[in-house]
Amino acid sequence: MMRCRGVSLVVALAIGAPVFFAQTEGLTPAQINARAKAQNVPQISYESAPNFLKLPPNVYLGEGIGIASNSKGHIFAYTRSQATRLFEFDQKGNYVREIGEGLYGFVFAHAVRVDPQDNIWAVDEGSNMIIKFNPEGRVVMLLGRRPEAVEGVPFTPNPAAPEPYLFNRPTDVAWDAAGDIFISDGYGNSRVAKYDKNGRFLKTVGTRGNQPGQLNLPHTIAADAKGNVYVGDRSNSRIEVFDNDLNFKAIYDQVGAPWAVCITPGPHQYLYSSNSNPDTNNSQIMAVTGEIYKMELDGTIVGEFGKPGKQLGEFGTVHEIDCRNENEILVAEITRWRFQKLMLHPEPQRSNAK
């Protein structure tokens, strides 16, 4: 297949996506590898709400790992603190409650999502579990199982033949219109598994690699209204698209390493993807990453916003995005130990070259 600066020209032309040729003078090889291939992308102006979440006394946030909202505008913040904790806030950012305090499945938070029925799903990388809470905060479904301490040396899973109902450091969850469940089983198994709405295993796709249909750390996942599945293939610096039966469809590799993806609701859906700087605070890589891209579902880039930094409106490793409202984006940041609420202004402006 003909290649274009590391981009599949055939794929790019097939989906109608722009092909950008990046200038690389003055960059180290590591910076060139980390930076998104798309350059000179239209900038979307935005602002960040100050004092977004209001915590009660003596309650603190650790790493900002997951963030999601429900149909009422309530916000769920999932954090790695002294322990994994899941907090709920109202639409004005006022503290409501903690969900799952002391829960056996809370070990090492990775993602939180809210489904169309306002059920809250927590993905825990440490316990290898996906935990479904009803809107009242009660556990109603469990997928996966926490390894037992009494077993001694843990069993080493075989990534080439993963167990249908066991996970190896899972990362995220999504659903289609029928309620079928898609889980990115990321760090250990590099696969996506599909279950029906009752948790019955249906299919799996993916082995570790960089070929179409293979994955290398599927870190984030989302589904569109037609049931297509978009997987942030982080270590391959690309988004892979599968149909509802997990058949490979396309690759979008213009927007860097997708730490977090999100798809808006509504008749015209958009795909957001964060090319996040690493969680090692590597200043060289941070200098050329940190932005979030807004895309059409076919991979066409609409615009970008954000840059690395510590100030309000700047980002430190965006780990999850909530985009229930197309122009009101919520982000969770690991290395800044915070969550931000961003208001986007819909008319993009041309940027200067990076």
Side-chain angles (χ1 to χ4, degrees), residues 223-298:
D224 67 20
K226 296 181 180 179
N228 296 308
V229 179
Y230 300 72
V231 183
D233 188 12
R234 194 181 86 182
S235 294
N236 282 329
S237 295
R238 66 190 187 182
I239 298 169
E240 284 204 89
V241 186
F242 298 86
D243 69 16
N244 194 251
D245 291 322
L246 296 181
N247 299 304
F248 171 78
K249 291 188 68 175
I251 289 173
Y252 308 154
D253 62 358
Q254 290 271 299
V255 293
W259 281 66
V261 298
C262 182
I263 294 177
T264 63
H268 189 145
Q269 295 187 289
Y270 290 99
L271 169 66
Y272 288 94
S273 181
S274 67
N275 179 32
S276 285
N277 34 279
D279 53 10
T280 57
N281 283 308
N282 182 320
S283 60
Q284 280 197 337
I285 303 304
M286 287 177 67
V288 295
T289 61
E291 72 279 10
I292 296 174
Y293 291 91
K294 181 180 181 180
M295 308 162 67
E296 300 284 359
L297 295 185
D298 67 0

Side-chain angles (χ1 to χ4, degrees), residues 146-185:
R146 177 175 174 169
E148 296 179 1
V150 295
E151 291 178 347
V153 178
F155 168 73
T156 302
N158 179 7
E163 294 286 338
Y165 295 99
L166 295 179
F167 306 110
N168 189 349
R169 301 179 65 188
T171 54
D172 206 352
V173 63
W175 315 268
D176 61 18
D180 291 335
I181 305 160
F182 299 86
I183 295 169
S184 51
D185 190 13

Side-chain angles (χ1 to χ4, degrees), residues 90-323:
D90 69 16
Q91 60 270 32
K92 295 182 179 179
N94 297 309
Y95 180 85
V96 174
R97 60 175 172 165
E98 181 171 357
I99 298 171
E101 183 178 5
L103 191 73
Y104 181 64
F106 277 4
V107 177
F108 198 63
H110 202 275
V112 62
R113 300 279 190 176
V114 177
D115 68 22
Q117 292 75 43
D118 278 349
N119 299 299
I120 308 138
W121 298 65
V123 179
D124 194 286
E125 177 191 344
S127 67
N128 293 328
M129 298 190 71
I130 292 82
I131 303 157
K132 177 184 178 181
F133 300 90
N134 66 15
E136 290 71 44
R138 305 301 300 179
V139 175
V140 293
M141 180 185 287
L142 300 170
L143 292 169
R145 190 161 189 265
R146 177 175 174 169
E148 296 179 1
V150 295
E151 291 178 347
V153 178
F155 168 73
T156 302
N158 179 7
E163 294 286 338
Y165 295 99
L166 295 179
F167 306 110
N168 189 349
R169 301 179 65 188
T171 54
D172 206 352
V173 63
W175 315 268
D176 61 18
D180 291 335
I181 305 160
F182 299 86
I183 295 169
S184 51
D185 190 13
Y187 283 86
N189 287 330
S190 284
R191 66 161 179 162
V192 171
K194 179 180 180 180
Y195 303 82
D196 70 14
K197 63 182 180 181
N198 297 311
R200 182 175 65 89
F201 175 78
L202 297 176
K203 190 174 181 180
T204 187
V205 68
T207 56
R208 190 177 301 277
N210 60 12
Q211 297 303 305
Q214 291 187 310
L215 299 160
N216 189 0
L217 210 179
H219 192 262
T220 177
I221 193 169
D224 67 20
K226 296 181 180 179
N228 296 308
V229 179
Y230 300 72
V231 183
D233 188 12
R234 194 181 86 182
S235 294
N236 282 329
S237 295
R238 66 190 187 182
I239 298 169
E240 284 204 89
V241 186
F242 298 86
D243 69 16
N244 194 251
D245 291 322
L246 296 181
N247 299 304
F248 171 78
K249 291 188 68 175
I251 289 173
Y252 308 154
D253 62 358
Q254 290 271 299
V255 293
W259 281 66
V261 298
C262 182
I263 294 177
T264 63
H268 189 145
Q269 295 187 289
Y270 290 99
L271 169 66
Y272 288 94
S273 181
S274 67
N275 179 32
S276 285
N277 34 279
D279 53 10
T280 57
N281 283 308
N282 182 320
S283 60
Q284 280 197 337
I285 303 304
M286 287 177 67
V288 295
T289 61
E291 72 279 10
I292 296 174
Y293 291 91
K294 181 180 181 180
M295 308 162 67
E296 300 284 359
L297 295 185
D298 67 0
T300 301
I301 299 169
V302 175
E304 66 165 289
F305 58 94
K307 64 179 181 179
K310 300 180 180 180
Q311 302 304 312
L312 197 66
E314 298 174 337
F315 301 143
T317 315
V318 172
H319 195 266
E320 189 163 32
I321 300 171
D322 179 272
C323 59

